[in-house]
Amino acid sequence: MKKLYAVLLLVCLCLCAGCGEQQVQKSDIVLDTAVTLTADGADAKAAIDESMARLKNIDGMVNPNVPDSDVCKLAQYAGSGHWVSLHPEVYKMLAFAQEYAAKTNGAFDVTTKPLVDLWGIGTDHAKVPSPQELMAAQKLVGWQKLELNEENHSARLQEKGMGVDLGGIAKGFAVDEVRQIYAKYGIKDGLINLGASSMYGLGLNKEGKSWRIGLRHPRKDDAQQKMAVLSLQDAALSTSGDYERFFEAGGVRYHHIIDPRTGRPAQSGAMSVTILADASVPDGGMLTDLLTTAVFVLGPEQGTRFLQTLPRGVEGAVVDGRYQLWTTGNMAAEMENVSEEFQFWQGSGELQ
Ligand code: ADP
Ligand code: MG
């Protein structure tokens, strides 16, 4: 870990030959994620410093380990009838989450927290819960039991023991915020990288080419083994997979994306989901982050059908257990260097 920090805290400042502009890159761990921000331009350093501060500020609102964070307050007052005043940022995330909870019939549901906590995937107390524990946690989950008041940006949870988990949306929201800070400083080229979970590629890289992002092979332990490569130019990209945080017991892979309807890690037939949203899509970072989780829960067939209902500019690829790629929009054409182990699902074209 120490080594990781040493590498991450390395601040790289280099002169871009010829143009006299500086490319600045800075890394840190925020929102439980290895974040790397890159920007090119006269104000690149100021933009990155402000962006890092903003990420830490958002972290303080959504972090369940920060006692006075909005998410802690919501859990604390759950069932009391008390409305909790929220930062506008958290209100925006919750309102967006509720809109998509309704659209996905609850496949995406931020009230899944009691189940996330019970399974503890990615923590040192991960376990397969007993049926009784599962039933008790499931009773405390349900997006209809989260009430929002738009007038004063407040919210309340109807039952004691409920909570919200913004792990499937906050990093995407944060990407959009950094994008706005980059715009304020006139940054035209840069990469906002909040782990594979959420990215935004702005303009071009140092070589004057679009940013190239490798999509991880879902069944290779080595994160460097790629399934395909995508070019990212003025677009948001998000990936979620069952290989990110998981444990295995009795031959079953228990991972961190929970199907709120079964109370268990989603067994939808998907191994990974990648979503792209171009610059025309409002809140593209938050949307792609949310959609990877939602589409994973829905599975390849229902998930790609759902993607078809969304505005133009949003497209995705779902990898199923047979290494078939279910794609929407122009995604099949945009995926480069696709590893030979994967095939495009024959119906992909028909989905258009
Ligand atoms: P990450 O980006 O951290 O890899 P994802 O974007 O795949 O994670 O989102 C998964 C996270 O979202 C989980 O760790 C959990 O905090 C939360 N989560 C899990 N299942 C759901 C769900 N069905 N709806 C909303 N949030 C979920
Ligand atoms: Mg994500």
Side-chain angles (χ1 to χ4, degrees):
M1 199 63 188
K2 264 190 189 154
K3 203 170 154 195
L4 180 67
Y5 267 102
V7 175
L8 287 172
L9 289 172
L10 184 87
V11 179
C12 150
L13 196 68
C14 53
L15 278 179
C16 166
C19 56
E21 286 195 336
Q22 287 180 329
Q23 187 184 75
V24 181
Q25 190 174 74
K26 196 169 183 178
S27 300
D28 205 341
I29 293 180
V30 204
L31 292 161
D32 226 3
T33 304
V35 171
T36 299
L37 301 181
T38 309
D40 220 314
D43 288 329
K45 187 175 180 308
I48 287 190
D49 287 346
E50 188 173 325
S51 298
M52 280 294 185
R54 180 77 176 124
L55 293 177
K56 286 175 189 167
N57 167 247
I58 295 168
D59 192 336
M61 299 175 200
V62 302
N63 191 330
N65 301 317
V66 172
D68 65 345
S69 65
D70 285 10
V71 295
C72 279
K73 284 189 202 151
L74 276 169
Q76 203 180 324
Y77 287 104
S80 71
H82 177 80
W83 288 89
V84 177
S85 279
L86 302 171
H87 288 95
E89 293 88 340
V90 175
Y91 187 85
K92 184 171 176 179
M93 285 183 241
L94 289 180
F96 202 76
Q98 292 295 77
E99 182 189 337
Y100 279 88
K103 285 184 179 164
T104 62
N105 283 326
F108 188 86
D109 184 345
V110 286
T111 73
T112 306
K113 181 171 167 53
L115 288 164
V116 173
D117 291 347
L118 179 64
W119 285 90
I121 315 270
T123 69
D124 54 9
H125 54 267
K127 58 153 194 195
V128 180
S130 70
Q132 289 80 0
E133 287 175 314
L134 265 181
M135 225 160 38
Q138 244 186 317
K139 282 195 185 135
L140 298 170
V141 173
W143 62 275
Q144 291 97 336
K145 292 187 278 191
L146 164 63
E147 296 173 82
L148 300 184
N149 183 337
E150 198 183 351
E151 271 166 35
N152 57 7
H153 281 180
S154 63
R156 66 179 179 185
L157 291 160
Q158 285 176 359
E159 286 175 37
K160 191 171 163 51
M162 288 184 74
V164 297
D165 178 327
L166 296 175
I169 187 170
K171 291 193 284 290
F173 173 84
V175 163
D176 293 331
E177 290 295 299
V178 173
R179 203 183 142 202
Q180 281 176 33
I181 295 171
Y182 275 26
K184 189 175 84 181
Y185 283 95
I187 307 294
K188 297 204 169 47
D189 302 301
L191 186 66
I192 303 163
N193 182 346
L194 273 68
S197 169
S198 296
M199 293 189 176
Y200 196 94
L202 201 63
L204 304 171
N205 65 17
K206 253 191 332 186
E207 281 83 46
K209 301 202 171 110
S210 47
W211 301 93
R212 286 175 64 76
I213 310 295
L215 304 180
R216 191 173 156 178
H217 189 301
R219 287 294 176 270
K220 294 266 166 54
D221 290 339
D222 176 4
Q224 295 315 311
Q225 296 267 350
K226 302 301 178 199
M227 166 181 88
V229 174
L230 275 178
S231 284
L232 198 58
Q233 192 173 344
D234 297 317
L237 170 72
S238 177
T239 300
S240 282
D242 63 4
Y243 49 83
E244 288 169 349
R245 273 173 278 153
F246 70 96
F247 69 94
E248 276 172 336
V252 181
R253 176 181 288 244
Y254 297 101
H255 57 83
H256 71 308
I257 301 169
I258 307 287
D259 185 339
R261 301 160 305 184
T262 63
R264 298 169 166 274
Q267 301 290 335
S268 63
M271 295 200 291
S272 85
V273 178
T274 296
I275 310 278
L276 270 175
D278 69 28
S280 72
V281 178
D283 303 307
M286 180 157 64
L287 181 63
T288 52
D289 192 12
L290 176 154
L291 285 176
T292 53
T293 307
V295 169
F296 193 103
V297 172
L298 292 172
E301 186 165 359
Q302 268 193 51
T304 43
R305 287 205 189 286
F306 174 63
L307 288 177
Q308 304 294 320
T309 68
L310 299 177
R312 285 173 76 89
V314 181
E315 56 188 24
V318 185
V319 185
D320 71 17
R322 294 180 180 165
Y323 289 42
Q324 296 183 113
L325 290 154
W326 298 58
T327 61
T328 69
N330 207 23
M331 195 68 140
E334 285 167 17
M335 292 175 86
E336 297 169 42
N337 302 359
V338 180
S339 153
E340 279 174 6
E341 287 170 79
F342 299 84
Q343 307 96 44
F344 286 95
W345 180 68
Q346 53 175 357
S348 277
E350 292 163 22
L351 283 165
Q352 309 317 316

